[in-house]
Amino acid sequence: MEMGKLRLMFLITFAGIMCPSILANLGEFDEVWRERAEKATKATLAAYNPNPMSVTNSFNSQVNNDEEKFDSNSTRRNLRNEHMVGKCMATNPIDRCWRCRKNWARNRKRLTKCVLGFGHQTTGGRKGRYYAVTDNSDDDVLNPKPGTLRHAVIQEKPLWIIFAHDMVIRLSKELIMTSNKTIDGRGSIVHVAFGAGITIQFVENVIIHGIKIHHISVTDGGMIRDSTDHFGFRTISDGDGISVFGSTNIWLDHLSMSNCADGLIDVIQGSTAVTISNCHFTHHNDAILLGASGSFSLDTLMQVTLSFNHFGQGLIQRMPRCRLGFFHVVNNDYTHWQMYAIGGSQHPTIISQGNRFIAQESVHTKEITKREYAMEEEWKHWVWKSEGDLMMNGAYFVESGDQNMKTDSFSKLQLIKSKPGTHVTRLTRYAGALRCREDDEC
């Protein structure tokens, strides 16, 4: 394993030197950003699991240890994340770890015990103090006002960021985060909307939970503070809801996302150890991009879990679209797509387990999968597996590659053990940002 990592280090170093896209939105790749990039590359190598199937199997084990009875399949959904009534129910292993406890607000950091999949080591701001956002303004990106979200995320020490009340935050420029942060929207209704999105670049250990991100636009660049002791020039932002760039140990959970100028979520440039779970995605063209360039070899280390998400109304494609890495797509609900659901290029490995796919009526949208920039002679060797998926209304998944590839090398935490696709309606019932109030079950 160590020799393999040494070879990977050489490959990564060469890629970092040769690939100009590492500059991202940076107007100037100064010494501070260079040091961050070098540190991020080392973090990627440390977080990478050379035996990713162990993570998949771990996830699978957690789901199947659930003893609750699951609803029978139906094409109808009953999303209850907006107006929950009756007894609180936690319907998947991530939620069962923390939800339906009246004291959740006094023990917020319990959340860090609940993450599964490739991002299972993410702890966010668990070791830091709480920081309450009291001000929804974003008027000064060079000297952020205390009490604002921007002021919170640039602090050097770990922080667990919460919100004092309901608010809509319109970011005037992209929000650049530092390492070891949790943005926890529980207890308030928080929108990041009608402005710039969130950038997680060359950092590690970030959790974003329980907020709504929508109507994100392309915004001008300029001088932006990215830490307490550094600011620099940024070029125009792309309009992604969340951009994860060269970062590791990232958990995105219970987000509601729609209508962004570019992607809802991009995970690119060697980011790895990422879990995207319990999210509700709607009304968008290019939903999730995992790997942006087939020439950036560091993306071969990308390992991402997508679990318990609902891909809903108004989506067209990229749920996700993958390059080069290893992707576990487990127990998600695909109720709408207009072109394809899961796609990729540059030989990604995609393990699809226990998802529900409901095709639309058009005969041209029945296929779930799409390979790009490769002839069948090439893509037939890519490992794309479907296990326990539920295909409805004529949906079909085109498999390829070695269907006997073993996943025994992954730990139970890394690979979530799937339930059959018939259970997905229940597993994803509370996808999206929840309406949680303190001193009540969430």
Side-chain angles (χ1 to χ4, degrees):
M1 181 183 298
E2 291 303 318
M3 183 60 68
K5 283 196 173 185
L6 286 172
R7 284 194 291 267
L8 284 170
M9 176 63 82
F10 173 79
L11 177 149
I12 290 163
T13 303
F14 180 79
I17 293 171
M18 297 301 295
C19 186
S21 61
I22 200 169
L23 294 175
N25 296 334
L26 292 170
E28 179 184 0
F29 198 52
D30 62 19
E31 189 62 29
V32 171
W33 279 109
R34 188 175 300 279
E35 289 178 1
R36 290 177 184 173
E38 292 173 355
K39 183 178 179 181
T41 297
K42 293 178 181 178
T44 293
L45 186 64
Y48 170 71
N49 187 320
N51 300 304
M53 290 303 294
S54 63
V55 183
T56 302
N57 292 336
S58 172
F59 198 136
N60 288 342
S61 176
Q62 293 289 331
V63 178
N64 278 282
N65 285 338
D66 181 1
E67 298 297 332
E68 291 193 9
K69 294 183 179 179
F70 287 78
D71 296 338
S72 60
N73 180 67
S74 168
T75 59
R76 299 185 64 186
R77 289 186 54 85
N78 182 20
L79 281 173
R80 300 180 64 188
N81 58 334
E82 288 294 335
H83 303 285
M84 292 185 289
V85 294
K87 183 180 179 180
C88 179
M89 290 191 298
T91 57
N92 65 56
I94 291 177
D95 278 1
R96 191 167 296 104
C97 173
W98 70 270
R99 285 193 57 213
C100 299
R101 300 165 184 262
K102 287 189 176 181
N103 68 339
W104 67 266
R106 294 187 293 276
N107 191 19
R108 286 177 178 268
K109 294 181 181 180
R110 177 184 175 83
L111 187 67
T112 60
K113 299 180 179 180
C114 306
V115 58
L116 297 173
F118 285 111
H120 72 279
Q121 294 184 329
T122 307
T123 58
R126 185 178 67 187
K127 294 182 179 180
R129 61 182 179 87
Y130 288 101
Y131 184 116
V133 175
T134 58
D135 186 338
N136 71 336
S137 70
D138 190 41
D139 301 326
D140 190 343
V141 299
L142 199 54
N143 297 291
K145 186 190 307 181
T148 62
L149 180 59
R150 189 175 298 274
H151 184 266
V153 300
I154 65 169
Q155 302 304 308
E156 291 299 320
K157 293 182 178 180
L159 284 179
W160 196 280
I161 301 163
I162 60 176
F163 298 84
H165 50 79
D166 297 351
M167 62 180 68
V168 177
I169 299 173
R170 180 184 178 278
L171 297 170
S172 59
K173 308 286 186 185
E174 60 180 318
L175 186 77
I176 305 172
M177 298 187 62
T178 56
S179 295
N180 305 307
K181 299 294 182 293
T182 298
I183 297 177
D184 181 0
R186 291 175 297 173
S188 301
I189 301 173
V190 179
H191 298 254
V192 173
F194 311 112
I198 299 173
T199 297
I200 304 171
Q201 185 172 14
F202 297 144
V203 298
E204 55 186 319
N205 207 25
V206 171
I207 298 172
I208 304 179
H209 178 101
I211 64 175
K212 301 183 179 186
I213 302 173
H214 56 94
H215 294 93
I216 300 302
S217 59
V218 174
T219 55
D220 293 335
M223 302 300 289
I224 302 175
R225 184 165 295 279
D226 48 67
S227 67
T228 55
D229 57 3
H230 182 265
F231 60 85
F233 182 76
R234 305 284 294 191
T235 60
I236 188 170
S237 68
D238 295 334
D240 295 321
I242 298 176
S243 176
V244 182
F245 189 106
S247 297
T248 56
N249 292 310
I250 308 297
W251 184 24
L252 309 177
D253 188 52
H254 276 294
L255 305 177
S256 295
M257 301 187 70
S258 64
N259 291 304
C260 297
D262 193 8
L264 296 180
I265 298 173
D266 281 10
V267 181
I268 62 175
Q269 297 298 117
S271 297
T272 196
V274 177
T275 293
I276 303 170
S277 57
N278 290 305
C279 295
H280 188 201
F281 304 109
T282 59
H283 300 104
H284 199 74
N285 181 5
D286 300 328
I288 299 177
L289 178 64
L290 305 178
S293 172
S295 63
F296 190 65
S297 55
L298 186 56
D299 280 347
T300 58
L301 307 189
M302 184 177 296
Q303 297 174 333
V304 180
T305 300
L306 286 86
S307 59
F308 313 132
N309 302 293
H310 177 206
F311 294 90
Q313 295 183 355
L315 296 180
I316 297 176
Q317 61 181 323
R318 296 189 178 183
M319 306 171 221
R321 193 236 192 263
C322 311
R323 287 183 176 92
L324 293 176
F326 186 104
F327 308 98
H328 189 204
V329 184
V330 54
N331 285 142
N332 301 281
D333 201 5
Y334 292 84
T335 57
H336 301 77
W337 71 84
Q338 297 179 35
M339 289 181 63
Y340 66 90
I342 299 173
S345 60
Q346 274 75 41
H347 57 83
T349 298
I350 300 174
I351 309 299
S352 173
Q353 295 180 315
N355 301 288
R356 182 175 74 158
F357 298 99
I358 305 176
Q360 303 303 294
E361 293 303 320
S362 172
V363 296
H364 303 293
T365 60
K366 301 300 185 183
E367 184 176 350
I368 296 162
T369 52
K370 182 181 181 182
R371 279 86 168 168
E372 296 186 297
Y373 308 115
M375 302 298 290
E376 183 175 358
E377 184 61 30
E378 178 183 347
W379 65 251
K380 71 180 183 180
H381 301 292
W382 304 352
V383 178
W384 292 25
K385 296 179 64 174
S386 171
E387 299 177 345
D389 290 326
L390 176 64
M391 320 285 188
M392 303 182 69
N393 200 30
Y396 65 97
F397 188 110
V398 177
E399 295 182 301
S400 58
D402 180 8
Q403 296 300 298
N404 297 316
M405 186 182 72
K406 301 299 182 183
T407 59
D408 299 338
S409 58
F410 289 100
S411 73
K412 291 181 178 181
L413 292 174
Q414 291 172 316
L415 287 191
I416 299 175
K417 187 171 179 60
S418 65
K419 283 286 187 180
T422 51
H423 297 176
V424 159
T425 302
R426 180 182 176 92
L427 289 166
T428 63
R429 189 175 187 180
Y430 297 97
L434 297 165
R435 281 183 181 267
C436 300
R437 294 301 183 189
E438 295 186 9
D439 300 319
D440 197 5
E441 295 175 339
C442 185

